[in-house]
């Protein structure tokens, strides 16, 4: 339970996950439980700058940190500039965990399934071999290794200094506040944007590949609730894998069309590679640790995300409400 002096610092506060955490904290009135929250985006501190991070932590003296910050871009950008994305993400993680250790704060960091091996055997059970073993996909490789490094660094701080550093490893995330550009957005966000473009043009919605691959989709608002839960109830060395419903890409595309009212149908491009048929993660460990968690029904989550997207298109948000680089 939170004490009267608890203060939670959320990094990456303007990204998709950080903004959903902010919404959940407000809707659930979590500040009434004796816990204060500080949401830090790039305007508050450039997390690549050690002095700026030290200043941020000295100012707020957090007891808990939700580390959601990362340097992100399209897969093409990260593949073209692997050094830049490795350096930025590793500097962010090193600075945040170093400062958290100095003030004895508990940390829950967000990882990514891009850290799984390209030869992973599915379902991924979340063992050390599953999480850390094997070579990564060439696309976004440096980002994946940076996430592996964050998980290892958290473990090393636990081992050497006894820090309460843990990590949550989510499946494909989608939701409001995220990017919706078709080349850089999360899968479902991109499908929603393409469906809306097809609705406006009256043409069939183009979907890369055959639509056969099956993916687990995790609503960002559900992940926000999981992260807040983890602040008090998860403190383990091994990253915790969490995931949403498993659905074929073809069905996701149809649900995206339904959410925006697109009736012009789908057009698949089998010349584009499908990637792995499945990327299934075993979430039985999470179910044991958090048996009361109930996910938002997928169709409702997609519809809510689409409504946010359509409103954002008609009423442009302030710069600080958009998810780009989450640092």
């Amino acid at each position: 339970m939170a004490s009267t002096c608890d203060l939670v610092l959320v990094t990456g506060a303007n990204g998709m996950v950080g903004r959903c955490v902010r919404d959940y904290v407000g809707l659930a009135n979590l500040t009434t439980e004796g816990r204060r929250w500080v949401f830090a985006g790039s305007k508050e501190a450039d997390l690549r700058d050690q002095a700026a991070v030290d200043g941020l932590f000295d100012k707020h003296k957090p007891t808990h940190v939700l580390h959601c910050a990362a340097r992100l871009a399209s897969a093409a950008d990260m593949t073209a500039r692997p050094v830049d994305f490795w350096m930025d993400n590793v500097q962010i993680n090193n600075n945040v965990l170093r400062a958290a250790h100095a003030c004895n704060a508990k940390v829950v960091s967000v990882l990514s399934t891009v850290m799984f091996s390209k030869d992973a055997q599915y379902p991924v059970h979340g063992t050390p071999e599953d999480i850390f073993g094997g070579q990564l996909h060439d696309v976004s490789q440096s980002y994946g290794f940076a996430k592996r490094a964050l998980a290892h660094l958290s473990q090393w701080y636990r081992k050497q200094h006894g820090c309460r550093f843990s990590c949550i490893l989510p499946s494909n995330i989608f939701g409001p506040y995220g990017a919706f550009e078709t080349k850089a957005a999360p899968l479902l966000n991109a499908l929603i944007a393409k469906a809306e473009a097809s609705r406006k043009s009256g043409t069939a919605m183009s979907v890369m590949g055959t639509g056969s691959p099956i993916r687990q989709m995790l609503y960002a608002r559900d992940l926000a609730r999981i992260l807040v839960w983890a602040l008090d109830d998860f403190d383990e060395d091994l990253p915790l894998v969490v995931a949403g419903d498993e659905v074929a890409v073809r069905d996701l595309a149809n649900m995206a069309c339904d959410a925006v009212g697109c009736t012009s149908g789908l057009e698949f491009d089998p010349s584009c590679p499908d990637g792995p048929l499945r990327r299934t993660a075993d979430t039985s460990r999470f179910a044991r640790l958090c048996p009361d968690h109930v996910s938002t029904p997928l169709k409702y989550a997609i519809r809510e995300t689409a409504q946010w997207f359509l409103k954002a298109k008609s009423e442009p948000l302030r710069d600080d409400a958009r998810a780009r680089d989450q640092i």
Side-chain angles (χ1 to χ4, degrees):
M1 295 297 292
S3 69
T4 55
C5 61
D6 275 0
L7 187 142
V8 183
L9 175 65
V10 181
T11 67
N14 293 329
M16 176 168 60
V17 176
R19 287 299 301 259
C20 286
V21 170
R22 187 198 299 257
D23 285 353
Y24 176 62
V25 168
L27 290 171
N29 293 319
L30 297 185
T31 54
T32 63
E33 298 181 2
R35 175 168 280 170
R36 293 178 295 146
W37 295 77
V38 172
F39 295 90
S42 57
K43 289 184 178 180
E44 285 72 33
D46 183 342
L47 300 184
R48 296 168 294 187
D49 183 334
Q50 181 178 316
V53 175
D54 289 344
L56 179 68
F57 277 70
D58 288 343
K59 177 181 179 181
H60 297 291
K61 297 178 173 55
T63 57
H64 298 72
V65 178
L66 279 183
H67 181 32
C68 305
R71 173 81 189 282
L72 294 169
S74 69
D77 284 343
M78 289 193 284
T79 301
R81 296 186 289 129
V83 174
D84 296 349
F85 285 92
W86 165 263
M87 294 296 292
D88 283 349
N89 282 292
V90 169
Q91 286 171 349
I92 289 168
N93 298 332
N94 287 350
N95 291 339
V96 169
L97 266 58
R98 175 185 173 277
H101 165 55
C103 66
N104 197 32
K106 178 179 180 179
V107 179
V108 176
S109 298
V110 180
L111 303 178
S112 169
T113 53
V114 298
M115 63 190 283
F116 287 154
S117 167
K118 64 181 179 181
D119 299 317
Q121 299 299 306
Y122 296 96
V124 173
H125 295 290
T127 65
E129 292 76 17
D130 285 335
I131 294 173
F132 298 111
Q135 182 62 36
L136 302 186
H137 289 273
D138 293 338
V139 177
S140 307
Q141 189 178 68
S142 69
Y143 182 70
F145 275 118
K147 288 296 187 182
R148 279 193 185 180
L150 171 58
H152 279 308
L153 186 60
S154 299
Q155 293 177 325
W156 296 334
Y157 266 108
R158 291 178 70 93
K159 180 179 180 179
Q160 182 174 338
H161 298 294
C163 294
R164 298 170 298 158
F165 290 2
S166 301
C167 297
I168 301 294
L169 204 169
S171 64
N172 298 276
I173 309 169
F174 73 97
Y177 306 113
F180 284 84
E181 296 89 347
T182 56
K183 292 184 178 180
L187 171 61
L188 245 174
N189 285 26
L191 290 174
I192 289 170
K194 294 179 76 170
E196 170 60 9
S198 294
R199 184 194 67 80
K200 293 179 68 175
S201 66
T203 58
M205 174 180 165
S206 176
V207 180
M208 293 188 296
T210 66
S212 300
I214 297 172
R215 297 291 183 260
Q216 286 171 303
M217 307 308 302
L218 181 60
Y219 191 31
R221 295 195 189 279
D222 289 342
L223 177 57
R225 290 190 288 117
I226 292 169
L227 293 174
V228 173
W229 161 82
L231 280 174
D232 293 314
D233 296 313
F234 181 69
D235 186 14
E236 296 186 9
D237 181 78
L238 185 65
L240 181 63
V241 177
V242 298
D245 293 337
E246 192 172 45
V247 184
V249 171
R250 178 186 301 272
D251 295 329
L252 292 173
N254 278 316
M255 284 189 275
C257 287
D258 290 343
V260 301
C262 175
T263 59
S264 49
L266 304 177
E267 186 177 79
F268 294 92
D269 183 0
S271 67
C272 298
D274 275 334
L277 180 60
R278 306 187 79 167
R279 286 179 176 166
T280 310
D282 179 354
T283 60
S284 57
R285 179 177 168 223
F286 171 66
R288 290 194 303 271
L289 293 172
C290 188
D292 296 330
H293 177 77
V294 178
S295 298
T296 306
L298 183 59
K299 285 188 177 180
Y300 178 84
I302 293 174
R303 186 164 61 249
E304 192 172 72
T305 301
Q307 290 171 352
W308 184 93
F309 169 64
L310 295 175
K311 183 178 180 180
K313 281 174 63 68
S314 62
E315 301 176 9
L317 299 177
R318 301 184 312 272
D319 289 343
D320 63 356
R322 293 192 177 278
R324 293 294 182 266
D325 287 352
Q326 299 178 37
I327 56 177

